[in-house]
Amino acid sequence: FDENSGNDALQGCFRTLLFQWARLDPESARSWFERQKPFPDTEDGKRNLSDAVHGFVFGWFDNNRSAALDFAVSNASNESFQETLHSLATTLFLKSEEDATNFIERLPTTALQAKTLESVVQYTTTGVFLGYQDPADQRSAATMTKWMVHLPGEPWADEIGQVAGMWQTEDPAGFSAWLAQQPVRTKDLILYDQCGSANRENAPEALQQAATISDVALREKALAKVAS
């Protein structure tokens, strides 16, 4: 690898190399990775860099979970770390909802938290985000909706409408009973996002739900969204 530094084909192999190396000696793997020539600013180059980061961080994760998570969070604003953040959050969630919540909370911006949250929900419900879903990883829309609303700072506000709509379709009575027990702010945000989600195909029903939003400004925006 060192003799052919910068070779595009070899850069495509960095994910496997760094994963195996970081599992054994993360500091040496990191030092070597940081010495490599920059990846090309092309679609293939960006993909190879993202894959290499993913391999390195997950190898380190196997060796020292806490250190790997700290490293990922410290680089969270780096575009090449985005896929790795999503995969880490999903991996954590499948073992512990609390661990996933704590990790997402540590991300530096609400936008990053929201995108990472979205990736977890899509993978565990529709399975479309990563293109593959192990049946054992599937979670119900009810499970995901309940988990989302407990994330501080409301990064879920623009992401919850679709999954809440799935739950409502699957179990209208169960969803309505749960929604009625939520704080007013939570209920309002769920109803508002549902008004613009793909699941809100029934305009009269959407208008009826939008009209129940307590916050006047949010209610007016929801009604306008449904009417548009």
Side-chain angles (χ1 to χ4, degrees):
F1 280 88
D2 284 333
E3 292 177 359
N4 296 278
S5 179
N7 182 290
D8 289 353
L10 287 179
Q11 286 182 338
C13 301
F14 276 20
R15 178 172 181 152
T16 300
L17 170 69
L18 288 166
F19 174 74
Q20 297 296 346
W21 194 349
R23 292 176 68 192
L24 301 173
D25 187 352
E27 288 304 322
S28 293
R30 177 179 179 179
S31 177
W32 179 85
F33 188 24
E34 291 175 345
R35 293 199 310 269
Q36 301 309 299
K37 291 182 179 180
F39 283 64
D41 189 21
T42 62
E43 287 303 312
D44 285 345
K46 291 177 181 178
R47 167 51 54 190
N48 287 338
L49 177 55
S50 176
D51 285 349
V53 168
H54 190 284
F56 170 68
V57 172
F58 268 84
W60 195 356
F61 184 86
D62 280 359
N63 178 286
N64 186 329
R65 169 174 147 161
S66 178
L69 293 177
D70 288 347
F71 178 72
V73 169
S74 69
N75 288 278
S77 297
N78 187 323
E79 182 181 357
S80 61
F81 277 74
Q82 300 313 296
E83 181 181 330
T84 298
L85 294 175
H86 300 166
S87 295
L88 283 170
T90 300
T91 298
L92 291 169
F93 177 84
L94 294 173
K95 297 290 186 182
S96 164
E97 292 182 13
E98 182 179 0
D99 287 349
T101 297
N102 292 337
F103 175 69
I104 292 172
E105 276 189 81
R106 295 179 62 193
L107 300 179
T109 68
T110 300
L112 282 172
Q113 292 175 357
K115 291 301 294 182
T116 304
L117 177 64
E118 178 187 20
S119 73
V120 176
V121 173
Q122 286 186 338
Y123 176 74
T124 55
T125 53
T126 64
V128 298
F129 186 75
L130 298 178
Y132 171 76
Q133 181 197 67
D134 185 325
D137 296 342
Q138 186 172 9
R139 301 292 186 273
S140 69
T143 294
M144 299 312 295
T145 302
K146 292 175 181 178
W147 172 65
M148 291 171 78
V149 299
H150 287 106
L151 280 160
E154 299 170 351
W156 49 266
D158 295 327
E159 311 295 339
I160 202 167
Q162 185 172 11
V163 69
M166 291 170 59
W167 181 10
Q168 185 176 29
T169 299
E170 296 165 358
D171 179 13
F175 173 77
S176 296
W178 174 83
L179 188 65
Q181 297 174 355
Q182 301 312 299
V184 172
R185 171 72 176 174
T186 298
K187 180 180 178 181
D188 280 356
L189 289 175
I190 292 172
L191 292 173
Y192 175 76
D193 198 43
Q194 279 190 284
C195 289
S197 75
N199 286 306
R200 303 310 306 155
E201 297 175 354
N202 188 326
E205 181 183 348
L207 284 169
Q208 185 178 14
Q209 289 201 357
T212 67
I213 294 175
S214 298
D215 183 281
V216 176
L218 201 62
R219 181 170 66 244
E220 291 179 353
K221 287 176 63 179
L223 290 169
K225 184 188 291 189
V226 175
S228 64

